[in-house]
Amino acid sequence: MRKFKDGETITVEPWRSRAFPVIKDLMVDRGAYDKIMQAGGFVSVNTGGVPDANAIPIPKPVADEAMDAASCIGCGACAAACKNGSAMLFVSAKVSQLALLPQGKIEAAARAKAMVAKMDELGFGNCTNTGACAAECPKSVSLANIARLNREFLSAKFKD
Amino acid sequence: MAKKEEIMEAAKETAKKVATKVAQKAVDVAEAALDAAAEVVKEATTPIITPEMAKIPAGPLELKWTNYKNHQKLVNPANKRRLDVIVVGTGLAGASAAASLAEMGFNVLNFCIQDSPRRAHSIAAQGGINAAKNYQNDGDSVYRLYYDTIKGGDYRAREANVYRLAEVSNNIIDQCVAQGVPFAREYGGLLDNRSFGGAQVSRTFYAKGQTGQQLLLGAYSALSRQIGKGKVKMYTRYEMLDIVLVADENGEKRARGIIARNLVTGRIERFFAHAVVVGSGGYGNTFFLSTNAMASNGSAAMQMYRHGALFANPCYAQIHPTCIPKHGDFQSKLTLMSESLRNDGRIWVPKKLEDAKRLQAGEIKGRDIPEEDRDYYLERRYPAFGNLVPRDVASRAAKERCDKGYGVNNTGLAVFLDFSDAIQRLGKDVVAQKYGNLFQMYEKIVDENPYENPMMIFPAIHYTMGGIWVDYELQTTVKGLFCIGEANFSDHGANRLGASALMQGLADGYFVLPYTIQNYLSDQIGVPRMSTDLPEFAEAEKAVQDKIDKLMAIQGKRSVDSIHKELGLIMWDFVGMGRTAEGLKEGIKKIDAIKKEFWTNVYIPGEANSLNNELEKALRLADFIEIGRLMAVDALHREESCGGHFREEYQTPEGEALRQDDKFAYVGCWKYMGEDAEPQLIKEPLDYEFTERKTRNYKN
Ligand SMILES: Cc1cc2nc3c(=O)[nH]c(=O)nc-3n(C[C@H](O)[C@H](O)[C@H](O)COP(=O)(O)OP(=O)(O)OC[C@H]3O[C@@H](n4cnc5c(N)ncnc54)[C@H](O)[C@@H]3O)c2cc1C
């Protein structure tokens, strides 16, 4: 945004996605992302009564990969950039982060299933692997996360 | 003969003069005695908060919290279901409290201004979070973390609270790891630590450069789980505009709900709860330009204050030396650059005023100024610590140079932070490895390459240690009204150490409030849910509506931001880094004038009953003006320098802060006495039982 020519036209528009209704001007309601998180974007632990933080060592490469997935800021650019309005990159980032870590692995399949079901219910489109989401992602969340989500999702389906 | 008369005359004159002098002396002495007496009377009539009133448990320091927990009253599961708690805020403090209370079985109503709880200001924290794990085997302990915190706070915090904070710090790390927070790890798979200012051990846990975001996402995930279960009802884009108090059968007023504005529709709504918890963050934005998020505000605190909660130590604000300077008049926020840059960067301004002038005019760049014409003023003034002096010292020194005209950018409010020596010494690659992401961020914002031309930095308001007074249970002086996180005054004294705010927010929310609030709620199980049709709710709503109508009706000529900017400048000049009695008095006058200007000349476009950003800002500015004044009043009364509060009259010959422990070793609490009345001072003495007060020393 810093370098542009005098007289050039800059187009601004609200995030475009069926699941993000416009409130006013550029302001959209991204509450759908919160609802997907409420469906399963967590580890089911209560406050207190957890083991010591160093009780389970986690290999550094795994921890780093989880960190990269966790850097998603939930901005909605992925769904807005996708021609199908899919939220797969967002969902996969959270599913990956938690599936990679031993603390979240236990619920990984169920989590993937619940979050994807919610995503569908809220009117986000299907993923057709165009990669537009990752190209626009301001935090460089990788498409590899979508592959991991698909694996978790399939394994959940097998268990059904 | 004539001679004799003359002598007599002269003698008479002298006698008269002497008599007048003696009489004047007597009057002076009498007046001084009167003043002293008045002081004594004032002293004697200044209300005191005792340790009992602050509910500090008896016993040795390390057993206080254990004893408290062993004896507090609990609420049984069946009764928890019948109790509602409002939590205002979804930052680290609010989100962790809301989630934990819901897990326990209480019904929670949670409010935030942002469109999602995950976007609270806490997200901005970069550096890390402290805990006394001693994973590095470098001799850390709960006591050491306690001691560093109390010393870092310049001995102006409560011993019992700080010890409890250090105690629960370890639980926080365990909890976050269990939630899936991806903290940095070593190759062996165990958690990594870094060191931060004010500590001799490595106790800071971090997640890349986004610790605040990852911790908040952890709390947000726990909160989301409870929202999904229906135990938390989440209200996003809602702003609390007042707290509702209802008297019980004994006439004691208790917090029983809030009035909030739906920011999308503009509708004013009423909400009931058995207790209200406020985790609304700090009030640094009083200064207009700060490192805080745009929506950070002090209005929730002022609502509590006007209902009788005490505002403690409002003058304790922290100024961070390494922020990206402001670059124009249209800017509304400042960006923090990590303190770690001062490890390898050298801070300087030109020696010659004409060089500074040419820098300001944009005719030359920093790299054009030869070595011998550079003034490395920190190394010059503080040879022992050099560029690594504490935050407050570095900040004041930068202001001093810029005030004298040596600023290096177009506004004259910036100094250089230069890496050319480090690049020569270590090589560009090593510097890039250490600071690459920060350099990148700098270049993105300033559009200048810091490898080639020195970085520019300037101090900015960053954190407020002062806040609403709470007792050991985090309850304010209003029954049923609790305050957590940066919004309260509790644990940092006059200065906060790096990586301790996140620790305190999560300590309050996960491990302290959910226990202590039960001591209150256990007495409330017989109280049925109240209708929000009660006159107390109706009156509170009307007062809010009247205030909005009054603001909308002004239709003056000035934008909210233009008045806020002016307030910010006054705060910076008179209530900023170096304060004097004279300047503070002047500042108070100017703030009073701003208040008048605001209430007669502000212009708010649009309608009140729809989305209206300017109205939101105006409501917050009305309170910032009051907070600014309170900060000045408190700063004027505190005739000492301690932590983030520096009174120029109270410094050592070397320019170090000079505490006055015999007079000011207390928490300065202010009680609201009415719209235009001066607030009343109440003191909570800090009689240390376990810690010896020393002078902070950075010279050797
Ligand atoms: C740039 C930056 C870097 C930092 N880095 C660190 C660090 O490395 N380590 C560290 O320990 N600390 C750091 N801090 C400090 C730390 O981030 C904050 O002190 C802390 O996050 C405050 O948390 P909180 O929960 O108290 O409040 P906040 O996170 O400010 O949350 C306040 C919440 O209250 C809500 N709210 C406020 N008023 C109302 C109202 N009237 N009605 C409804 N809702 C309301 C807001 O919407 C928000 O949800 C940093 C601060 C900044 C600015």
Side-chain angles (χ1 to χ4, degrees):
Chain A
M1 278 301 286
R2 192 177 286 283
K3 297 192 171 85
F4 40 82
K5 288 197 205 82
D6 201 15
E8 218 173 331
T9 309
I10 298 173
T11 311
V12 286
E13 56 178 10
W15 284 155
R16 272 195 281 185
S17 168
R18 223 179 338 151
F20 295 158
V22 174
I23 297 175
K24 190 180 174 183
D25 302 332
L26 293 175
M27 202 178 194
V28 297
D29 179 357
R30 292 176 292 189
Y33 271 13
D34 289 321
K35 293 208 178 84
I36 294 175
M37 290 290 285
Q38 288 152 20
F42 45 77
V43 176
S44 299
V45 289
N46 284 353
T47 303
V50 298
D52 183 88
N54 258 350
I56 312 172
I58 302 172
K60 183 168 161 52
V62 175
D64 287 348
E65 211 180 338
M67 175 66 235
D68 287 342
S71 59
C72 166
I73 54 174
C75 66
C78 48
C82 176
K83 67 180 168 63
N84 309 322
S86 169
M88 277 295 267
L89 193 64
F90 167 75
V91 174
S92 71
K94 188 48 71 179
V95 166
S96 280
Q97 175 205 339
L98 297 180
L100 281 162
L101 300 170
Q103 289 82 4
K105 200 158 190 65
I106 300 149
E107 299 170 276
R111 175 180 307 115
K113 200 174 136 196
M115 290 178 80
V116 169
K118 195 58 166 185
M119 174 178 80
D120 292 344
E121 181 196 316
L122 291 168
F124 288 99
N126 288 324
C127 171
T128 52
N129 290 314
T130 66
C133 50
E136 288 302 324
C137 175
K139 290 292 160 187
S140 312
V141 172
S142 139
L143 284 176
N145 292 306
I146 296 187
R148 190 173 292 109
L149 167 61
N150 286 332
R151 273 204 303 281
E152 293 299 343
F153 188 71
L154 279 179
S155 97
K157 284 283 168 200
F158 271 128
K159 281 183 203 147
D160 278 353
Chain B
M1 254 339 242
K3 203 103 202 220
K4 195 178 168 194
E5 257 161 39
E6 258 168 45
I7 290 171
M8 281 295 284
E9 216 31 58
K12 264 190 208 157
E13 263 319 294
T14 315
K16 229 192 224 162
K17 267 190 199 148
V18 170
T20 326
K21 253 198 193 146
V22 169
Q24 187 55 47
K25 195 93 190 213
V27 170
D28 285 352
V29 168
E31 256 170 17
L34 271 178
D35 279 355
E39 199 55 38
V40 170
V41 171
K42 205 166 121 194
E43 201 63 32
T45 50
T46 301
I48 293 287
I49 297 171
T50 62
E52 292 72 42
M53 289 155 82
K55 303 207 194 96
I56 298 180
L61 194 54
E62 53 295 349
L63 287 180
K64 284 182 191 291
W65 181 228
T66 308
N67 284 344
Y68 177 89
K69 283 193 292 184
N70 288 345
H71 296 108
Q72 77 173 113
K73 287 182 270 179
L74 297 173
V75 182
N76 82 32
N79 285 330
K80 282 185 184 133
R81 278 196 296 271
R82 303 215 307 248
L83 292 168
D84 303 342
V85 181
I86 284 174
V87 177
V88 178
T90 59
L92 288 181
S96 57
S100 304
L101 288 168
E103 286 163 7
M104 289 171 153
F106 297 104
N107 304 300
V108 177
L109 294 82
N110 194 191
F111 295 80
C112 74
I113 293 173
Q114 290 78 10
D115 69 335
S116 163
R118 67 182 287 162
R119 274 182 262 281
H121 158 70
S122 291
I123 209 167
Q126 306 162 342
I129 177 167
N130 288 330
K133 282 287 195 185
N134 192 28
Y135 283 161
Q136 307 304 325
N137 194 27
D138 51 7
D140 202 7
S141 65
V142 168
Y143 182 82
R144 258 181 211 282
L145 176 54
Y146 155 79
Y147 183 75
D148 289 345
T149 309
I150 212 134
K151 175 182 166 206
D154 226 350
Y155 308 97
R156 291 291 178 265
R158 230 186 244 154
E159 288 178 307
N161 281 56
V162 178
Y163 197 89
R164 174 178 65 188
L165 175 67
E167 232 178 315
V168 302
S169 67
N170 292 338
N171 302 68
I172 296 172
I173 304 303
D174 298 343
Q175 189 65 37
C176 294
V177 166
Q179 289 169 343
V181 170
F183 281 125
R185 287 177 184 269
E186 294 166 348
Y187 281 98
L190 302 181
L191 291 164
D192 192 17
N193 289 121
R194 49 165 72 144
S195 7
F196 247 64
Q200 291 165 309
V201 294
S202 218
R203 62 159 74 102
T204 305
F205 295 78
Y206 65 101
K208 257 194 175 167
Q210 8 173 308
T211 315
Q213 161 156 286
Q214 294 309 324
L215 295 176
L216 185 60
L217 288 179
Y220 162 77
S221 73
L223 177 64
S224 294
R225 178 166 160 246
Q226 295 305 315
I227 297 172
K229 286 183 170 181
K231 285 304 287 181
V232 175
K233 178 108 181 62
M234 186 69 228
Y235 296 88
T236 58
R237 287 196 165 117
Y238 269 77
E239 183 159 357
M240 171 172 79
L241 294 182
D242 205 2
I243 294 150
V244 182
L245 270 46
V246 178
D248 64 13
E249 65 279 6
N250 301 319
E252 173 129 56
K253 285 192 173 170
R254 291 171 189 271
R256 291 298 189 201
I258 67 168
I259 304 293
R261 181 164 177 272
N262 178 329
L263 298 178
V264 176
T265 64
R267 251 180 63 125
I268 314 280
E269 299 174 29
R270 310 172 185 181
F271 300 90
F272 163 83
H274 291 88
V276 176
V277 179
V278 178
S280 55
Y283 52 91
N285 275 350
T286 308
F287 284 67
F288 188 65
L289 284 179
S290 86
T291 62
N292 291 9
M294 300 277 296
S296 292
N297 70 89
S299 291
M302 288 314 270
Q303 290 153 29
M304 295 189 267
Y305 171 68
R306 281 191 288 264
H307 280 298
L310 306 177
F311 208 125
N313 300 329
C315 79
Y316 292 160
Q318 184 171 77
I319 290 173
H320 201 294
T322 50
C323 300
I324 298 181
K326 78 174 207 172
H327 40 265
D329 269 348
F330 295 104
Q331 196 177 349
S332 40
K333 186 179 159 19
L334 291 172
T335 305
L336 178 80
M337 299 291 289
S338 170
E339 201 167 357
S340 62
L341 290 169
R342 286 199 280 141
N343 279 302
D344 286 306
R346 295 179 72 194
I347 295 177
W348 63 275
V349 294
K351 271 186 190 156
K352 297 183 189 154
L353 215 48
E354 66 261 28
D355 281 347
K357 293 242 165 65
R358 293 177 64 203
L359 281 167
Q360 289 160 15
E363 292 161 14
I364 51 168
K365 296 218 169 229
R367 59 168 178 244
D368 302 330
I369 297 177
E371 184 63 27
E372 63 272 17
D373 289 339
R374 301 177 174 193
D375 175 14
Y376 296 94
Y377 58 89
L378 285 178
E379 298 169 25
R380 169 170 60 79
R381 286 179 63 180
Y382 305 97
F385 267 66
N387 295 295
L388 280 174
V389 289
R391 288 179 180 181
D392 51 339
V393 179
S395 298
R396 280 198 302 276
K399 181 178 189 293
E400 189 272 340
R401 284 292 82 192
C402 292
D403 285 351
K404 295 255 160 70
Y406 293 93
V408 300
N409 70 350
N410 59 336
T411 60
L413 296 175
V415 299
F416 286 129
L417 176 63
D418 198 335
F419 286 85
S420 50
D421 270 8
I423 291 171
Q424 252 178 22
R425 182 166 38 95
L426 307 165
K428 192 175 163 181
D429 286 352
V430 175
V431 172
Q433 239 174 45
K434 275 176 133 171
Y435 307 110
N437 60 337
L438 294 166
F439 279 31
Q440 228 171 25
M441 178 167 93
Y442 179 85
E443 187 168 359
K444 216 164 155 185
I445 295 174
V446 184
D447 198 21
E448 218 174 50
N449 183 343
Y451 293 101
E452 287 165 11
N453 206 28
M455 234 180 225
M456 286 180 285
I457 52 162
F458 201 63
I461 282 279
H462 178 56
Y463 183 88
T464 48
M465 281 73 68
I468 293 300
W469 184 90
V470 287
D471 61 21
Y472 190 73
E473 295 184 327
L474 305 182
Q475 185 166 211
T476 70
T477 41
V478 175
K479 288 266 151 33
L481 182 60
F482 295 77
C483 187
I484 57 178
E486 190 174 339
N488 74 23
F489 89 108
S490 66
D491 299 346
H492 307 293
N495 175 51
R496 171 180 73 78
L497 291 184
S500 285
L502 302 181
M503 169 172 74
Q504 183 228 331
L506 290 181
D508 286 1
Y510 283 133
F511 296 108
V512 180
L513 177 100
Y515 298 100
T516 58
I517 199 173
Q518 293 190 54
N519 222 18
Y520 174 77
L521 288 173
S522 61
D523 288 339
Q524 303 298 308
I525 46 183
V527 178
R529 294 199 166 96
M530 295 175 189
S531 156
T532 53
D533 291 335
L534 285 177
E536 287 86 346
F537 280 88
E539 277 159 30
E541 182 186 319
K542 183 168 181 304
V544 163
Q545 190 61 56
D546 288 352
K547 186 171 176 183
I548 291 175
D549 293 346
K550 191 170 162 194
L551 281 169
M552 294 302 293
I554 297 170
Q555 293 294 308
K557 291 202 170 55
R558 293 188 57 183
S559 71
V560 177
D561 276 0
S562 84
I563 301 178
H564 196 167
K565 256 180 227 175
E566 203 181 322
L567 172 69
L569 279 180
I570 295 169
M571 295 303 294
W572 189 249
D573 288 342
F574 299 98
V575 199
M577 282 184 263
R579 302 159 172 177
T580 62
E582 207 182 327
L584 288 163
K585 284 179 194 155
E586 181 74 21
I588 291 173
K589 269 192 215 142
K590 287 182 184 281
I591 295 170
D592 287 341
I594 288 267
K595 179 173 175 180
K596 210 160 151 204
E597 172 75 359
F598 173 78
W599 284 102
T600 52
N601 202 19
V602 71
Y603 171 68
I604 305 166
E607 304 286 323
N609 55 3
S610 72
L611 187 127
N612 190 335
N613 214 252
E614 289 299 304
L615 173 61
E616 292 166 29
K617 288 198 289 189
L619 283 162
R620 292 175 202 146
L621 178 55
D623 291 319
F624 281 133
I625 296 172
E626 307 293 334
I627 295 179
R629 192 177 195 286
L630 205 54
M631 288 177 79
V633 167
D634 186 41
L636 182 61
H637 119 279
R638 188 164 282 277
E639 294 173 338
E640 66 165 348
S641 296
C642 61
H645 168 64
F646 190 81
R647 279 284 298 267
E648 288 179 3
E649 304 96 317
Y650 303 92
Q651 53 180 312
T652 64
E654 299 89 48
E656 304 293 351
L658 200 61
R659 284 197 327 259
Q660 305 263 65
D661 287 338
D662 51 334
K663 284 196 192 140
F664 289 99
Y666 61 78
V667 182
C669 312
W670 298 93
K671 187 178 169 160
Y672 181 70
M673 303 300 285
E675 174 66 27
D676 288 311
E678 290 297 324
Q680 184 194 12
L681 177 66
I682 297 177
K683 296 177 182 176
E684 182 193 342
L686 295 167
D687 297 326
Y688 278 9
E689 278 183 80
F690 308 97
T691 320
E692 188 197 343
R693 287 192 168 90
K694 295 192 182 138
T695 306
R696 291 196 304 168
N697 178 2
Y698 318 107
K699 292 253 147 190
N700 35 49

